[in-house]
């Protein structure tokens, strides 16, 4: 992610909103066909699965097919129509808003191909359900498989599974060898798969003992892809040869009606009843209901089956008071015995001797004032200690101790910001100050109290992976001191969400200037940007100790200041190369179109992986084409492959930007193209080092300045 956020794919079609209208019609039909809700919960005969309202049982299969919340009772148990398939319902959660089902959820194919696209293998469009991105995992089983989740012409997720040798397959481990897993994209309604053979992609065949096995065991090359409950599937070596069936899958559900504030404006269809709280889900297109604190029941029903007051005083196992309990609507009160005072709660302050009696006995107003002052001071001290503990907890949660032990002093001390300072700088992180969005989170423009303009990176969620990226980027930047790297100014460790503060880069990302503007940059400026980026990568590979691999080199991570000087950013996924290491074995990470195919196949990251990605950026500068673009008949094409094909067919000038061709000339363009293609060689050992690339680019810059590159055709 950069200071202005990730760039979109113009080939991707805008998401259809027709299904929103369908959901509203389905809800109205449910009111017509099913009438008033019955006592909750219902059950199918012979089944233990509770079916709470708004889910209802219907004996009409055509209604079940039409209405998202209608359940059909079959001998095998309660069934639900999802798209064109019938699934068995395992359980329904009202509080957490999910539905667990099983059925035909596994896609399988055993033919080798260059990209089999399966549209709507699982389709939830037109239903109130989405694939749960928190409770599911997208899993691929196979030895020669890349399975990607598509949305139009863009990719939303996926993973790669291969088998280097039979001994490399480990039962129980789903780490990319025989089996791989990835997160399910948020708000996913349709599972459109693109299944590709890795061998066909790279025009290479596997080597070693596994290659010999594959000739006798063709089922080992079958690909199985599915979305399943993340706790339900454990990979086994035998899964490569057997069919996988009846894997549980979790679906999130919601009531269509927009945000809660919108739904309340239509009381005739608003589903949350008395004593409930409404919360918005499904990308602001739906909502769910929960009982308010102190109430229990079904929030979608009225009367005795709805949310009713809990009598906490009758809870013998967890009686809440130290003395006497008095139940109230939505809560309870504790009463202390005579001569005692306090909240009377077991988990509160309890009851203690009443000091007012002592004040009366003393008969002095000064004593009362002293006690009041003592009370205010105690309250202030408790509040201060509570705030300090909260900040210390966030400090530890955000990796503070690890940073304190491992931060390096080369860059000098970083500024430590408080959360209130950054809230003031961004007007409480107002949407008006958003400068960009990306996979890591959101970047805000802020103005500090000393009038310095900064960019503040705020993680979009708090989990281990986000904290790891946060800590990793700080550690990497603490070792980097280069004029063409975005400067880290400071951090905020006391807030729940990690915050990094950078210098603000005014002209945004190189990606924007190449692909989203009609004003082209002169070739001399583009060549300088390429040279400056190459020097940064050469510096990371050679001058830092240990050497650093950037791992996500792309035009959206190259920012431009007011003088169009390159500033390389986003080191969250970078990796250090320890002493005597030739590579780092990692889970595959990167951006499609820029990713090194050798790293993609082997999971072995080297400095030559950055060289490959830089080669793609160099082609972008020459052509102003995107790394993944739409060709004829709207097929998705690789810029690197297309550029190489045209070069070897002597048709290079067909793809080169006309301004570059006019300013640089055909001979100069050919030299740059040859350098880019050397960076894009499939074998990393055949690619040049970044220092060699930087030297050649500097020589080309000098030739341009001296007007010594002359096109013989001119």
């Amino acid at each position: 992610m950069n200071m202005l956020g990730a760039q979109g794919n113009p080939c991707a079609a805008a998401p259809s909103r027709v299904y929103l209208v369908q959901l509203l019609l389905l809800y109205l039909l449910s009111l017509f066909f099913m009438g008033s809700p019955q006592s909750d919960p219902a059950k199918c005969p012979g089944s233990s699965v509770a079916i709470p309202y708004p889910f209802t049982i219907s004996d009409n299969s055509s209604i079940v097919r039409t209405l998202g919340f209608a359940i059909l009772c079959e001998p095998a148990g309660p069934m639900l129509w999802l798209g064109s398939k019938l699934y068995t319902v395992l359980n329904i959660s009202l509080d957490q808003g999910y539905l667990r089902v099983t059925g035909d959820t596994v896609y399988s194919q055993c033919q080798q191909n260059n990209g089999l696209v399966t549209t709507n293998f699982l389709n939830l469009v037109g239903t109130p359900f989405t694939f749960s991105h928190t409770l599911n995992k997208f899993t691929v089983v196979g030895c020669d498989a890349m399975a990607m989740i598509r949305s139009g012409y863009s990719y939303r997720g996926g993973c790669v599974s291969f088998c280097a040798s039979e001994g490399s397959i480990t039962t129980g481990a789903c780490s990319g060898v025989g089996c791989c897993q990835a997160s399910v994209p948020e708000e996913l309604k349709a599972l459109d798969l693109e299944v590709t053979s890795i061998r066909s992609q790279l025009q290479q065949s596997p080597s070693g003992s596994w290659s010999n096995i594959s000739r006798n065991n063709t089922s080992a090359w079958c690909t199985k892809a599915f979305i399943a409950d993340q706790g339900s599937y454990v990979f086994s070596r035998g899964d490569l040869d057997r069919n996988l069936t009846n894997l549980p899958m979790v679906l999130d559900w919601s009531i269509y009606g927009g945000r809660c504030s919108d739904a309340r404006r239509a009381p005739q269809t608003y589903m949350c009843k008395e004593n409930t709280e409404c919360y918005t889900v499904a990308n602001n297109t739906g909502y769910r209901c929960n009982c308010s604190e102190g109430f229990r029941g079904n929030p979608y029903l009225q009367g005795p089956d709805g949310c009713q007051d809990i009598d906490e005083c009758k809870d013998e196992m967890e009686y809440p008071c130290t003395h006497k309990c008095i139940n109230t609507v939505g809560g309870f009160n504790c009463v202390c015995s005579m001569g005692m005072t306090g909240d009377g709660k077991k988990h509160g302050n309890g009851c203690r001797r009443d000091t007012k009696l002592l004040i009366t006995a003393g008969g002095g107003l000064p004593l009362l004032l002293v006690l009041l002052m003592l009370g205010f001071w105690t309250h202030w001290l408790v509040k201060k200690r509570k705030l300090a503990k909260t900040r210390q907890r966030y400090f530890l949660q955000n990796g503070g101790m690890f940073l304190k032990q491992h931060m390096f002093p080369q860059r000098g001390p970083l500024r430590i910001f408080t959360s209130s300072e950054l809230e003031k700088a961004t007007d409480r992180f107002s949407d008006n100050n958003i400068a960009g969005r990306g996979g890591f989170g959101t970047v805000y423009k802020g103005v500090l109290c000393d009038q310095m303009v900064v960019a503040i990176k705020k993680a979009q969620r708090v989990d281990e992976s986000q904290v790891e990226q946060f800590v990793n980027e700080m550690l990497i930047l603490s070792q980097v001191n280069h004029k063409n790297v975005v400067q880290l100014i400071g951090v905020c460790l006391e807030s729940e969400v990690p915050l990094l503060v950078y210098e603000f880069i005014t002209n945004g990302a190189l990606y924007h200037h190449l692909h989203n503007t009609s004003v082209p940059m002169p070739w001399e400026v583009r060549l300088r940007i390429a040279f400056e980026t190459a020097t940064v990568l050469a510096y990371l590979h050679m001058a830092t100790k240990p050497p650093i691999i950037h791992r996500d080199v792309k035009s959206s991570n190259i920012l431009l200041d007011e003088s169009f000087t390159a500033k390389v950013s986003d080191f969250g996924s970078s990796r250090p190369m320890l002493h005597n290491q030739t590579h780092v074995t990692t889970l595959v990470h990167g951006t499609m179109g820029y990713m090194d195919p050798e790293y993609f196949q082997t999971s072995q990251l080297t400095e030559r992986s950055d060289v490959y990605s830089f080669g793609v950026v160099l082609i972008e500068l020459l052509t102003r084409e995107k790394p993944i673009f739409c060709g004829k008949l709207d097929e998705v094409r690789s810029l690197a492959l297309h550029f190489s094909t045209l070069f070897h067919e002597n048709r290079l000038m067909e793809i080169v930007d006309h301004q570059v061709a006019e300013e640089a000339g055909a001979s100069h363009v050919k030299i740059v193209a040859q350098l880019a293609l050397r960076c894009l060689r499939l074998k990393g050992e055949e690619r040049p080092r970044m220092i060699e690339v930087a030297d050649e680019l500097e020589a080309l810059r000098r030739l341009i300045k001296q007007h010594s590159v002359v096109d013989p055709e001119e």
Side-chain angles (χ1 to χ4, degrees):
M1 189 195 75
N2 57 63
M3 300 301 107
L4 290 179
Q7 307 296 328
N9 186 345
C11 298
S16 172
R17 301 186 181 275
V18 174
Y19 79 93
L20 300 181
V21 178
Q22 293 174 341
L23 289 176
L24 178 59
L25 293 175
L26 292 180
Y27 172 67
L28 295 176
L29 283 171
S30 68
L31 295 179
F32 176 78
F33 281 105
M34 299 179 186
S36 301
Q38 299 177 352
S39 179
D40 182 62
K43 292 182 180 178
C44 286
S47 172
S48 61
V49 178
I51 304 174
Y53 188 80
F55 292 86
T56 55
I57 296 175
S58 174
D59 57 2
N60 189 329
S61 61
S62 63
I63 294 178
V64 173
R65 227 179 242 273
T66 305
L67 302 176
F69 292 118
I71 305 294
L72 185 66
C73 290
E74 294 287 335
M79 311 291 284
L80 177 70
W81 279 102
L82 295 173
S84 60
K85 300 178 182 179
L86 196 61
Y87 293 83
T88 301
V89 178
L90 301 180
N91 68 295
I92 301 171
S93 170
L94 278 187
D95 294 340
Q96 301 180 44
Y98 68 79
L99 176 83
R100 186 174 279 104
V101 300
T102 186
D104 181 15
T105 61
V106 180
Y107 168 77
S108 178
Q109 68 92 12
C110 298
Q111 297 179 355
Q112 297 302 304
N113 51 73
N114 290 320
L116 176 64
V117 179
T118 300
T119 303
N120 292 341
F121 172 65
L122 295 176
N123 189 356
L124 305 179
V125 175
T127 75
F129 305 103
T130 58
F131 298 100
S132 176
H133 69 281
T134 57
L135 300 178
N136 290 318
K137 282 289 185 182
F138 176 66
T139 304
V140 177
V141 175
C143 280
D144 180 27
M146 177 176 71
M148 306 299 294
I149 301 175
R150 291 171 51 126
S151 177
Y153 296 111
S154 63
Y155 297 102
R156 298 192 62 191
C159 66
V160 175
S161 177
F162 66 95
C163 304
S165 64
E166 185 175 15
S168 66
I169 304 174
T170 304
T171 294
C174 202
S175 60
V177 180
C179 172
C180 67
Q181 287 186 327
S183 298
V184 176
E186 294 187 29
E187 304 303 331
L188 184 67
K189 297 286 288 189
L191 182 59
D192 294 346
L193 292 175
E194 179 179 310
V195 180
T196 307
S197 163
I198 302 174
R199 294 191 302 165
S200 299
Q201 280 266 318
L202 301 177
Q203 300 179 349
Q204 297 176 350
S205 62
S207 60
S209 60
W210 185 254
S211 179
N212 297 330
I213 289 176
S214 68
R215 286 193 287 269
N216 301 320
N217 184 8
T218 56
S219 64
W221 298 105
C222 293
T223 296
K224 308 171 187 73
F226 52 89
I227 290 178
D229 184 349
Q230 59 184 357
S232 68
Y233 176 72
V234 178
F235 171 67
S236 170
R237 165 62 182 82
D239 293 345
L240 293 168
D241 307 316
R242 69 170 67 98
N243 292 329
L244 300 177
T245 57
N246 296 323
L247 296 177
M249 177 174 62
V250 184
L251 307 176
D252 292 332
W253 58 269
S254 62
I255 308 297
Y256 174 71
R259 295 172 297 183
C260 291
S261 57
D262 299 327
R264 293 189 186 97
R265 298 191 186 102
Q268 67 277 12
T269 58
Y270 183 53
M271 294 285 286
C272 298
K273 304 306 179 184
E274 294 178 349
N275 306 319
T276 63
E277 303 290 338
C278 176
Y279 61 101
T280 301
V281 294
N283 199 20
N284 292 331
T285 63
Y287 65 93
R288 288 197 291 266
C289 315
N290 275 340
C291 289
S292 301
E293 185 176 359
F295 294 86
R296 183 185 298 128
N298 189 325
Y300 303 97
L301 293 176
Q302 289 181 328
D305 294 317
C307 294
Q308 300 297 310
D309 175 55
I310 303 172
D311 191 346
E312 293 85 355
C313 299
K314 292 184 178 180
D315 190 345
E316 297 180 358
M317 298 296 295
E318 189 59 38
Y319 189 73
C321 301
T322 59
H323 181 60
K324 181 179 180 181
C325 177
I326 300 176
N327 186 62
T328 61
V329 177
F332 64 94
N333 291 325
C334 295
V335 179
C336 294
S337 59
M338 184 177 295
M340 305 293 287
T341 185
D343 60 16
K345 296 179 180 179
K346 284 184 177 180
H347 301 295
N349 296 326
C351 294
R352 59 186 183 276
R353 188 177 300 277
D354 191 353
T355 57
K356 291 182 179 180
L357 295 177
L358 297 177
I359 294 174
T360 303
L365 183 60
L367 180 59
L368 176 61
L369 294 176
V370 169
L371 290 175
L372 286 175
M373 292 177 64
L374 182 62
F376 282 122
W377 179 81
T378 303
H379 174 75
W380 175 82
L381 183 61
V382 170
K383 187 176 181 180
K384 183 178 180 181
R385 291 185 62 185
K386 184 177 180 181
L387 180 60
K389 287 183 179 180
T390 301
R391 290 177 175 176
Q392 178 68 9
R393 176 165 56 87
Y394 288 151
F395 179 84
L396 297 175
Q397 174 182 292
N398 293 335
M401 290 303 297
F402 184 80
L403 290 173
K404 190 174 181 180
Q405 295 171 9
H406 293 81
M407 285 294 287
F408 297 90
Q410 287 90 330
R411 292 175 50 122
L414 293 175
R415 293 179 62 177
I416 304 299
F417 294 96
T418 65
S419 56
S420 59
E421 282 183 281
L422 299 186
E423 285 181 357
K424 184 177 180 181
T426 58
D427 192 17
R428 295 185 176 273
F429 295 99
S430 167
D431 289 348
N432 295 329
N433 288 323
I434 293 178
R437 300 180 189 272
F440 180 87
T442 305
V443 176
Y444 294 84
K445 179 180 179 181
V447 181
L448 301 178
C449 58
D450 59 2
Q451 301 305 307
M452 175 186 288
V453 181
V454 295
I456 302 169
K457 182 187 286 188
K458 181 179 182 182
Q460 61 186 3
R461 63 185 185 276
V462 181
D463 58 29
E464 291 184 3
S465 65
Q466 293 292 324
V467 172
E468 180 185 354
Q469 279 194 324
F470 169 77
V471 173
N472 186 68
E473 184 152 10
M474 288 191 62
L475 288 175
I476 294 295
L477 288 176
S478 70
Q479 305 172 65
V480 174
N481 185 15
H482 195 281
K483 65 178 181 178
N484 294 112
V485 172
V486 174
Q487 182 184 1
L488 178 65
I489 296 174
V491 297
C492 175
L493 297 174
E494 68 177 33
S495 61
E496 182 179 11
V497 179
L499 300 173
L500 294 175
V501 182
Y502 301 86
E503 63 174 322
F504 188 79
I505 309 301
T506 54
N507 264 327
L510 173 62
Y511 183 100
H512 170 77
H513 292 277
L514 290 178
H515 306 305
N516 293 340
T517 180
S518 59
V519 181
M521 288 189 295
W523 171 242
E524 187 175 351
V525 174
R526 299 189 213 183
L527 190 59
R528 175 172 53 78
I529 292 171
F531 166 70
E532 291 169 344
T533 304
T535 59
V536 170
L537 297 177
Y539 166 82
L540 294 175
H541 295 170
M542 300 180 63
T544 59
K545 293 185 182 300
I548 296 169
I549 303 173
H550 187 281
R551 202 183 179 198
D552 198 14
V553 178
K554 56 185 178 180
S555 58
S556 56
N557 282 341
I558 301 171
L559 309 184
L560 304 175
D561 66 10
E562 63 277 358
S563 60
F564 281 82
T565 298
K567 298 279 189 175
V568 178
S569 68
D570 199 346
F571 291 82
S573 60
S574 299
R575 287 293 179 269
M577 184 85 72
L578 300 182
H579 181 62
N580 292 331
Q581 275 189 320
T582 60
H583 65 271
V584 180
T585 302
T586 72
L587 292 177
V588 175
H589 175 92
T591 303
M592 295 299 294
Y594 296 94
M595 193 183 302
D596 174 13
E598 186 176 57
Y599 169 48
F600 195 78
Q601 182 188 29
T602 65
S603 295
Q604 293 183 352
L605 182 70
T606 71
E607 64 179 34
R608 305 301 170 96
S609 301
D610 281 350
V611 175
Y612 183 93
S613 302
F614 177 81
V616 179
V617 173
L618 195 54
I619 295 176
E620 277 187 273
L621 290 164
L622 277 173
T623 64
R624 292 187 71 189
E625 293 285 350
K626 296 180 181 179
I628 298 294
F629 67 100
C630 294
K632 296 180 180 179
L633 302 178
D634 288 341
E635 75 272 19
V636 177
R637 306 192 64 176
S638 163
L639 174 60
L641 181 61
H642 185 56
F643 184 88
S644 177
T645 300
L646 292 179
F647 179 88
H648 290 100
E649 292 177 355
N650 293 322
R651 299 163 54 199
L652 175 63
M653 302 310 290
E654 292 182 16
I655 194 173
V656 173
D657 183 16
H658 66 88
Q659 180 176 350
V660 174
E662 291 176 1
E663 294 181 5
S667 298
H668 179 85
V669 168
K670 185 176 181 180
I671 295 172
V672 179
Q674 289 172 332
L675 175 60
L677 291 176
R678 285 167 54 207
C679 295
L680 297 176
R681 288 173 178 167
L682 288 180
K683 292 185 178 180
E685 60 188 16
E686 297 178 356
R687 301 170 197 156
R689 296 186 303 162
M690 281 310 309
I691 187 63
E692 298 171 17
V693 176
D695 287 343
E696 292 191 36
L697 290 173
E698 175 61 13
L700 288 170
R701 289 185 64 210
R702 288 198 300 267
L703 288 174
I704 281 220
K705 289 181 179 179
Q706 297 169 6
H707 304 284
S708 59
V709 175
V710 179
D711 188 348
E713 298 178 2
E714 293 181 15

